[in-house]
Amino acid sequence: MSVEKVVFGFGAHSGIDEIPELLSMAEQADRDGLDLFSLSDHPYIGGRADAYASIGFVLGRTQRLSGFANVTNLPTRPAPMLARTVTTLSALSGGRVVLGMGAGGLWDRIADMGVPRLSPAEAVDLFEEAIVLVKKLSGGGPPVTHQGRHYQVNRIEPAPVAAPPVWTGSVGRRSLAATGRVADGWIPGHAADWLSERYRTSRPVIDEAATAVGRDPREIRTVFNLPGRITDRPLPATRDPEGRWIGGSTDQWAEELTGAVLEHGASGFMLFSPEGGTPDLVSLTRWARDIVPAVREAIAKENG
């Protein structure tokens, strides 16, 4: 995999009172050459900044950084309107948008928003149908009529803008298979990394489903949400007794991520704090200025 296909970013869970820090971090990440930032989408939490309003504002203050919701709370954002949102953001930003998609996990809170509760199977069906419909309503062409199980639209003109890449947070087998059929990337759930049992058992489900519909599985990225500490000195162990990555020095990070790309097919990494929240500014700086360039250089050298 070439270095151009490997992306690096950071994730944030930003509250209204943390907006100044988010803007500062995004602007620094943009200057430092990172590729992506992500925001969680939990509209039932009043203290959280809305993901899509925040993404649009940040894109307007940056030059190269792309943004996405990690992942969109689909049940509260109907697919036809979501298509309009992401294609508009793409047009405004010059294509700096990824559409992160999820079937919805916290159904008690989702239902509190007045959204009809769906069974797990219904939620996955909605999820796959929504991805298909967003793509139909993008990229121009004749009016779209779609009479699906969950969405019905009648002669709606697609936006002239191409749909952004769609990355999912699929966990179960049915949603993993849907990712293989219709999505462009996968973010393993629960911050599972490339050595985890979750990754080893889940990625083949995506690949098999992609192959079954004539797609090349290699076109579907795996982008890892990666919490961990960046330490001044090497750690004696970079993984805990259960094998989960906990961090290390910049050299240890660079070695681990390079191996993830070259040996396990990783194509992206989103830095989070050790607790899974927003990284601090010092860690983000070391990530962008020390670790990411080292990984890019090592991959480029390996690829000749």
Side-chain angles (χ1 to χ4, degrees):
M1 180 174 291
S2 66
V3 66
E4 291 80 12
K5 293 184 179 179
V6 182
V7 295
F8 299 87
F10 75 97
H13 302 296
S14 290
I16 296 293
D17 59 350
E18 298 169 313
I19 286 174
E21 290 80 6
L22 170 65
L23 296 177
S24 177
M25 293 179 74
E27 290 168 351
Q28 176 177 304
D30 192 50
R31 291 191 298 270
D32 288 344
L34 291 181
D35 303 295
L36 292 158
F37 74 98
S38 73
L39 298 175
S40 58
D41 187 21
H42 297 288
Y44 34 75
I45 301 177
R48 288 276 179 91
D50 177 76
Y52 276 94
S54 301
I55 288 168
F57 195 85
V58 172
L59 291 175
R61 293 174 63 123
T62 54
Q63 299 296 317
R64 66 182 305 274
L65 200 64
S66 295
F68 73 107
N70 189 357
V71 290
T72 302
N73 192 287
L74 177 62
T76 63
R77 299 185 187 271
M81 289 303 298
L82 184 59
R84 291 292 188 250
T85 298
V86 295
T87 53
T88 299
L89 286 173
S90 184
L92 289 167
S93 67
R96 293 185 290 125
V97 179
V98 174
L99 175 53
M101 290 282 266
L106 301 175
W107 272 99
D108 287 342
R109 297 311 316 275
I110 292 169
D112 289 342
M113 296 284 288
V115 176
R117 186 185 294 270
L118 298 178
S119 70
E122 289 171 330
V124 173
D125 290 342
L126 172 79
F127 163 77
E128 183 168 4
E129 186 179 335
I131 295 172
V132 171
L133 184 54
V134 167
K135 292 186 175 186
K136 283 184 177 181
L137 291 173
S138 309
V144 171
T145 295
H146 175 93
Q147 298 297 320
R149 181 177 179 184
H150 297 279
Y151 295 108
Q152 295 80 41
V153 300
N154 185 40
R155 296 190 56 78
I156 298 299
E157 293 181 3
V161 181
V166 177
W167 299 354
T168 79
S170 295
V171 175
R173 288 188 66 87
R174 293 184 75 248
S175 62
L176 289 165
T179 293
R181 287 189 293 267
V182 299
D184 307 297
W186 174 52
I187 307 164
H190 306 290
D193 67 29
W194 47 95
L195 298 184
S196 67
E197 180 69 13
R198 180 178 297 276
Y199 173 76
R200 289 195 298 271
T201 58
S202 296
R203 182 68 209 204
V205 178
I206 294 173
D207 294 349
E208 290 165 10
T211 300
V213 296
R215 302 185 69 198
D216 184 347
R218 293 173 298 182
E219 296 178 357
I220 303 170
R221 292 179 173 273
T222 305
V223 179
F224 294 95
N225 287 338
L226 194 60
R229 292 187 296 142
I230 302 174
T231 59
D232 293 328
R233 297 182 180 181
L235 295 180
T238 57
R239 292 181 176 272
D240 65 18
E242 286 73 44
R244 180 179 287 272
W245 174 255
I246 59 174
S249 66
T250 55
D251 287 344
Q252 287 175 315
W253 276 85
E255 181 179 3
E256 187 77 18
L257 269 57
T258 300
V261 173
L262 298 177
E263 300 168 21
H264 301 282
S267 60
F269 307 95
M270 302 295 294
L271 180 70
F272 285 83
S273 74
E275 297 77 27
T278 308
D280 60 74
L281 194 57
V282 172
S283 295
L284 183 65
T285 300
R286 298 180 74 178
W287 170 249
R289 298 180 185 178
D290 298 330
I291 296 171
V292 170
V295 176
R296 285 175 170 156
E297 181 179 355
I299 298 169
K301 182 177 180 181
E302 184 68 24
N303 287 339

